[in-house]
Amino acid sequence: MSIDHPSFGRIDSNRVIIFDTTLRDGEQSPGFSMNITEKLRMAHALAELGVDVIEAGFPVASPGDFDSVKQIAEQVRGPVICGLARTGGREDIQRAGEAIRGAERSRIHNFISTSPLHMKYKLRMEPETVLDLITRGNQAARQFTDDVEWSAEDGSRTEPDFLCRCVEAAIKAGATTINIPDTVGYATPEDMVRIFRMLLERVPGADGVILSAHNHNDLGLAVANTVASVQAGVRQIECTINGIGERAGNAALEEIVMALRTRQDVMPFSNNIRTTDLLKLSRMLATITGFDVQPNKAIVGRNAFAHESGIHQDGMLKNAQTYEIMTPESVGWTKSSLVLGKHSGRAAFRDKLAALGYGDLGENQVQDAFVRFKHLADHKKVVYDEDLVALVDDEQRDHARIRFIGLDISGGSRRPSRAELELEIDGETRSADVTGTGPVDAAFNAVRSLFPHEATLVLFSVGAVTEGTDAQARTTVRLEENGKMVDGQGADTDTIVSAVRAYVHALNKLLVKRARTEPEALTA
Ligand code: KIV
Ligand code: ZN
């Protein structure tokens, strides 16, 4: 059976809509905030990837959130652009409606909690009040767009009878997509199958709307729950690149898409994702947020296609299918192992960047990265792919309020450490000459003297990008200010320079975060 949808027209019964919430649920987790330029970059790349819906943000949350949803709605073509709103929030639906106005196709996604626990303690509302708000909220959203999604927050822990009544009210009030989130990551695949089958059996009109799954990963079951939901009749999946999101994150887009593609034998469903872009999106997000995925992460982790043991390597040489269920190329890994050295020219450099997923860099960015690459190649015999990724990522982080210019460090076991640091702050170059108990302390004191702030350093870690003593150091710095946490990253062959770059990156992210205020749970 097919469904008539306001944004997608007639949808075939085996078509799965990919709803990406990297810029909303993903962005609201600690350390993952993005500025408008970064969000726009991600949104354009998500559109190229082929997602059907981009949840661009929560417009009522702050003027910055409103602006980024508005700009994405005005500039990004292809996917439906969606703004989040609380069902009973005073201004939420109005603000969401205004923010998405410029979109080619737009959606308002409104949500309210329906579980006994959330209604009693968070909302302090009676179930009948919640039901009434669902009717009013969805009707209000339909004044702005025909494409309205409603979510039962904490839906997986909601009483079945009440969930059916809520869904029925939402459909009657005009919702065209019904999303049942496992907000706290508590459900099992069987729970999700039971819930969606129940809705399809018991709620009038449920087979005429799109049912949607939104699973959190607290028990590591988000992808399994999503896949099970699709098998139970869900035709929209909400997911994020690299699985980022509240707490343990959301279901990872790349994992779900590849599960559906690889297991067509048991899940004959289609979607519009260009899978060869998956690695590029993963890396772009890691660059922007400063969070790498773990090496063993499915699909996009460094080891996802690495075969280490002799037995596996032997099997692979005889027939790749012995240990490979999908090809690395199908998700964007390139076979090319061309490494660059100091005699490599700009053309080879540009080709390499394109192969690594950085084909969209502007002329100036390529030029800046090329200058840094030449400098790196003078220090390091061979520049590997990982070196280039670290270098370009670092270069892209530089376009912010505070920029690293240069650092000289002296010290050792016989004399105090001293840092001479130069930063550009809001376009003005400033320098400091400061001492400390060690080189990191001196360098960080210098940052604090040039840009005074109250944030505390809560995490400092250093790793090597590649092997060898000439390897680049990759540093992560976590800062905390008034309960807000941000992570910054930096890379350089000099460990202290890498640390200062990471500190500066974290400060820039903190400045973005300071501008945001979190909305209350709900004010009806
Ligand atoms: O996890 C959740 O319940 C949500 C809703 C706002 C959809 O993110
Ligand atoms: Zn969520």
Side-chain angles (χ1 to χ4, degrees):
M1 195 185 123
S2 57
I3 285 179
D4 244 336
H5 188 274
S7 287
F8 303 113
R10 193 151 277 282
I11 311 178
D12 201 55
S13 62
N14 68 357
R15 168 81 156 84
V16 173
I17 291 164
I18 307 292
F19 176 111
D20 181 275
T21 184
T22 307
L23 299 177
R24 198 279 298 169
D25 209 322
E27 204 250 354
Q28 80 195 33
S29 54
F32 282 90
S33 52
M34 302 176 216
N35 62 33
I36 293 194
T37 318
E38 292 165 340
K39 285 188 189 174
L40 271 168
R41 201 169 151 234
M42 275 303 293
H44 281 295
L46 286 167
E48 268 180 48
L49 178 71
V51 305
D52 299 292
V53 185
I54 294 178
E55 186 163 54
F58 192 2
V60 83
S62 72
D65 271 56
F66 178 87
D67 272 354
S68 42
V69 177
K70 186 166 182 299
Q71 290 201 33
I72 290 171
E74 285 166 359
Q75 295 176 35
V76 177
R77 292 294 171 249
V80 172
I81 306 300
C82 170
L84 184 70
R86 291 165 300 181
T87 302
R90 244 179 244 120
E91 292 178 14
D92 290 46
I93 289 172
Q94 174 77 24
R95 291 294 276 167
E98 285 165 14
I100 57 169
R101 193 176 292 144
E104 215 171 34
R105 292 176 298 164
S106 63
R107 174 179 297 190
I108 292 179
H109 173 194
N110 72 106
F111 73 98
I112 190 166
S113 292
T114 51
S115 67
L117 211 59
H118 276 220
M119 288 191 293
K120 182 166 177 194
Y121 294 105
K122 190 181 98 167
L123 301 180
R124 297 202 171 90
M125 279 181 195
E126 292 301 321
E128 295 309 313
T129 314
V130 170
L131 268 172
D132 182 46
L133 287 176
I134 293 172
T135 299
R136 288 199 279 132
N138 283 285
Q139 283 171 346
R142 281 296 294 254
Q143 304 300 310
F144 294 94
T145 171
D146 287 344
D147 187 342
V148 170
E149 172 171 341
W150 176 74
S151 280
E153 191 183 1
D154 207 16
S156 58
R157 294 194 299 172
T158 297
E159 304 229 300
D161 288 348
F162 186 62
L163 186 63
C164 288
R165 287 181 69 203
C166 292
V167 170
E168 187 173 348
I171 295 174
K172 276 200 180 127
T176 48
T177 298
I178 298 292
N179 184 41
I180 309 297
D182 180 29
T183 304
V184 292
Y186 176 76
T188 63
E190 289 74 20
D191 291 334
M192 297 319 296
V193 168
R194 185 176 30 77
I195 290 170
F196 285 113
R197 287 206 175 132
M198 172 189 76
L199 295 179
L200 282 168
E201 272 162 27
R202 289 181 47 187
V203 178
D207 57 353
V209 296
I210 297 286
L211 294 181
S212 165
H214 176 115
N215 293 298
H216 280 272
N217 205 29
D218 300 66
L219 295 175
L221 291 172
V223 170
N225 286 343
T226 305
V227 167
S229 304
V230 173
Q231 287 174 307
V234 154
R235 289 296 176 267
Q236 172 176 286
I237 54 188
E238 303 200 353
C239 45
T240 59
I241 300 293
N242 293 346
I244 71 169
E246 283 282 3
R247 306 179 310 279
N250 289 66
L253 182 149
E254 58 280 1
E255 295 180 20
I256 297 170
V257 165
M258 289 315 289
L260 293 178
R261 182 178 150 148
T262 306
R263 296 306 311 273
Q264 279 284 303
D265 56 332
V266 283
M267 295 181 284
F269 305 113
S270 65
N271 60 68
N272 271 353
I273 298 296
R274 192 160 78 181
T275 62
T276 46
D277 269 7
L278 288 172
L279 183 63
K280 172 178 147 184
L281 264 287
S282 165
R283 286 186 166 164
M284 184 180 286
L285 182 67
T287 303
I288 290 173
T289 59
F291 280 103
D292 279 341
V293 297
Q294 79 268 24
N296 60 322
K297 164 86 174 61
I299 318 295
V300 291
R302 193 163 12 104
N303 291 353
F305 293 91
H307 301 274
E308 183 70 19
S309 90
I311 294 176
H312 287 206
Q313 283 178 355
D314 182 51
M316 284 291 293
L317 287 173
K318 289 174 176 151
N319 181 339
Q321 285 177 3
T322 49
Y323 286 101
E324 216 165 65
I325 58 169
M326 57 197 150
T327 65
E329 291 79 13
S330 66
V331 298
W333 292 94
T334 53
K335 272 227 159 66
S336 148
S337 58
L338 174 75
V339 282
L340 298 176
K342 68 179 184 182
H343 300 298
S344 305
R346 264 175 64 93
F349 180 71
R350 191 182 257 292
D351 282 355
K352 191 70 189 171
L353 287 187
L356 290 172
Y358 295 104
D360 58 346
L361 290 188
E363 205 43 54
N364 290 344
Q365 284 175 303
V366 174
Q367 180 54 29
D368 290 351
F370 187 63
V371 171
R372 268 190 78 182
F373 154 69
K374 282 287 177 185
H375 180 74
L376 180 64
D378 274 341
H379 289 71
K380 238 178 146 267
K381 276 191 231 72
V382 185
V383 179
Y384 295 100
D385 287 0
E386 289 90 336
D387 286 316
L388 275 192
V389 170
L391 183 152
V392 179
D393 287 357
D394 220 39
E395 195 56 45
Q396 294 188 346
R397 285 194 276 270
D398 260 3
H399 302 276
R401 272 188 67 188
I402 314 174
R403 293 187 61 215
F404 173 84
I405 306 281
L407 172 72
D408 290 314
I409 285 279
S410 57
S413 60
R414 295 198 186 89
R415 54 198 166 114
S417 296
R418 180 173 162 203
E420 291 166 75
L421 176 67
E422 216 170 87
L423 295 181
E424 187 187 288
I425 301 174
D426 293 327
E428 191 186 307
T429 305
R430 298 191 205 160
S431 47
D433 187 340
V434 174
T435 55
T437 54
V440 174
D441 187 48
F444 284 9
N445 286 345
V447 175
R448 275 189 291 271
S449 81
L450 292 178
F451 191 83
H453 57 273
E454 296 299 316
T456 352
L457 177 71
V458 289
L459 181 145
F460 174 63
S461 82
V462 186
V465 172
T466 56
E467 289 164 9
T469 49
D470 64 350
Q472 289 192 85
R474 195 205 317 261
T475 310
T476 301
V477 160
R478 177 171 290 175
L479 298 177
E480 194 191 335
E481 186 187 70
N482 302 326
K484 289 183 173 158
M485 216 132 69
V486 286
D487 287 72
Q489 286 205 334
D492 201 280
T493 46
D494 184 307
T495 308
I496 311 299
V497 170
S498 154
V500 171
R501 284 185 179 279
Y503 199 133
V504 166
H505 181 219
L507 274 179
N508 279 316
K509 286 173 82 175
L510 197 60
L511 296 179
V512 175
K513 199 139 199 188
R514 271 185 195 166
R516 297 181 59 158
T517 47
E518 303 301 333
E520 288 169 43
L522 187 136
T523 40

